[in-house]
Every structure is written in C-alpha cells, then in structure tokens.
Amino acid sequence: MNDKWISFAIRIQSIAQAGLQYGKDKYDRERYEELRKISAEMISAKTDISIDKVYDLFCNENGYQTPKVDTRAAIFIDGKILLVHENNGTWSLPGGWCDVDQSVATNTVKEVKEETGFTVSAEKLIAVQDWRKHNVTNYAYGVVKIFVMCKYDGGKFEENIETTEIAFFDENSIPENLAVEKCTREQILMCFKSFNHPDSPTLFD
C-alpha cells in the first residue's frame, strides 16, 4: 500500500473526520461524510480490500484522527534476540497495539507475556519511528512504532492464540520471512546495535 494515492486518501479521511468532529453546519457535515466515503473508495480501488471492510476499518472512529501506537520488545539472551513465530508463518519481535489503559513500558511487558510466556522488565527506549518511513504499510492510518529494550526475568514459552513458537537469532541468522509491517531486518539490526552499544541514543522519526 505504499502509493501516493493511498496517502492522498488518508489525508482526505483525516480532514473529513476532523470536520465531522468539529463542524456544526449540517450541510458541511454531509460533505465531510461524502469525502470520507470517497477516501474509502480510493483505498478499495487501490487494494484488494472490499469497500465495506475498508469503510469499517478506515471510517469507524470519531474525533481528531491520530496515529496508533505499536510497541515492540527487544529481548536478548546470550547475545541473541528473541523473535516470535506467528500463525501466518512470519517472524516478528513480540509486541502489539498499545492498550488505552497501558503505558508504553507496561504494554510492552504485557505483550511479551501474552506472546511468549516470558516475564520481562522494560529498560530502555531504543527508537520511536513513523512506520511509513521504515515498514510495509497495510493500514489506512498512521502508526508510531516504539522499540523497547527489555531484560529477561524468567518464564518459558506458553502456547497462545497468536504465536506458534519462539526462537533466538544472532545477527547473521535473522529469518527472511519477517512480518515486515511489524518489524524489518533493519529494525532488528537496530536493536542489536542498541544492545551492543548501551550508551547509544534513542532514535526517532
């Protein structure tokens, strides 16, 4: 979905959603609703997603549109990084959407527990990134990705509905079949660099 027309549609949707939130004139609101529908049709036309599904995912929020927050944990044991094997056959750093009642740190810890069975402590902010600059984008809204260095405290893998197994990888054995919308090879290597150089600054953008 990396396409300039997708970006145009996202901008139109954002403007329309703000107009629906703050506009008072009923005729203006009708126009904003029509713009919202057009933006969904643009997304559907440029993808293989049905218009109904796009509208449900793309136009179901109220208020000023802001990016979603995704947290990813970097956990190292013996110099190797933990990746989770997901149900669709891809590998990723453990993580997920930040719940509204969680901080970045607590959400990272929670996601690791749910996906691996491990208990960890969030210790350092590695990077804050706009996924449009680093990842394959497959949602019609912005995502801010936050990478957190975590310390393994204990536990072992537990079966769950999201991941089928876990494994540890060194820099030279990172699997090819990554969930690149969640983490790329470059982002995993970024985590290795932060681990190997603890005084390195937090990256952003």
Side-chain angles (χ1 to χ4, degrees):
M1 275 179 59
N2 289 315
D3 184 289
K4 66 178 182 179
W5 292 103
I6 301 297
S7 296
F8 293 159
I10 292 171
R11 289 170 59 189
I12 293 170
Q13 148 63 15
S14 179
I15 293 168
Q17 184 167 310
L20 287 169
Q21 175 67 18
Y22 301 112
K24 303 300 181 184
D25 184 271
K26 67 177 183 178
Y27 299 107
D28 283 343
R29 291 181 60 82
E30 288 178 359
R31 296 184 185 100
Y32 287 130
E33 189 61 49
E34 185 63 22
L35 283 172
R36 203 178 205 192
K37 291 177 181 177
I38 292 170
S39 67
E41 290 170 0
M42 290 172 67
I43 294 284
S44 181
K46 297 294 289 186
T47 66
D48 58 357
I49 306 173
S50 71
I51 183 63
D52 290 339
K53 185 172 182 180
V54 171
Y55 197 80
D56 182 55
L57 293 173
F58 193 29
C59 306
N60 65 347
E61 295 185 358
N62 297 315
Y64 191 80
Q65 191 171 49
T66 59
K68 294 184 180 293
V69 175
D70 176 74
T71 64
R72 295 287 149 183
I75 305 159
F76 289 87
I77 296 180
D78 296 330
K80 295 182 178 182
I81 196 167
L82 171 70
L83 298 181
V84 295
H85 193 240
E86 304 195 335
N87 289 325
N88 64 2
T90 59
W91 291 90
S92 175
L93 293 169
W97 299 127
C98 192
D99 292 337
V100 295
D101 61 343
Q102 300 289 327
S103 69
V104 168
T106 61
N107 195 76
T108 305
V109 170
K110 177 184 72 69
E111 289 290 332
V112 170
K113 182 65 175 178
E114 290 176 354
E115 295 184 3
T116 71
F118 286 3
T119 300
V120 299
S121 301
E123 292 197 325
K124 177 188 175 182
L125 191 62
I126 299 170
V128 178
Q129 295 183 332
D130 181 336
W131 82 331
R132 292 170 296 182
K133 298 182 178 182
H134 301 275
N135 299 86
V136 170
T137 57
N138 61 351
Y139 294 112
Y141 41 73
V143 177
V144 174
K145 301 187 68 62
I146 303 180
F147 296 84
V148 181
M149 187 70 70
C150 295
K151 179 175 68 72
Y152 170 76
D153 293 325
K156 61 181 181 179
F157 179 70
E158 298 177 2
E159 293 186 8
N160 61 85
I161 62 173
E162 297 183 67
T163 58
T164 60
E165 63 175 312
I166 62 171
F168 287 87
F169 300 88
D170 61 30
E171 291 181 79
N172 298 315
S173 64
I174 298 170
E176 294 292 331
N177 55 328
L178 296 172
V180 290
E181 76 281 4
K182 298 179 179 179
C183 69
T184 64
R185 176 181 174 83
E186 290 71 25
Q187 288 168 327
I188 294 172
L189 291 174
M190 172 187 71
C191 294
F192 269 101
K193 185 175 181 180
S194 181
F195 174 74
N196 292 322
H197 302 279
D199 295 330
S200 58
T202 298
L203 303 176
F204 61 94
D205 205 20

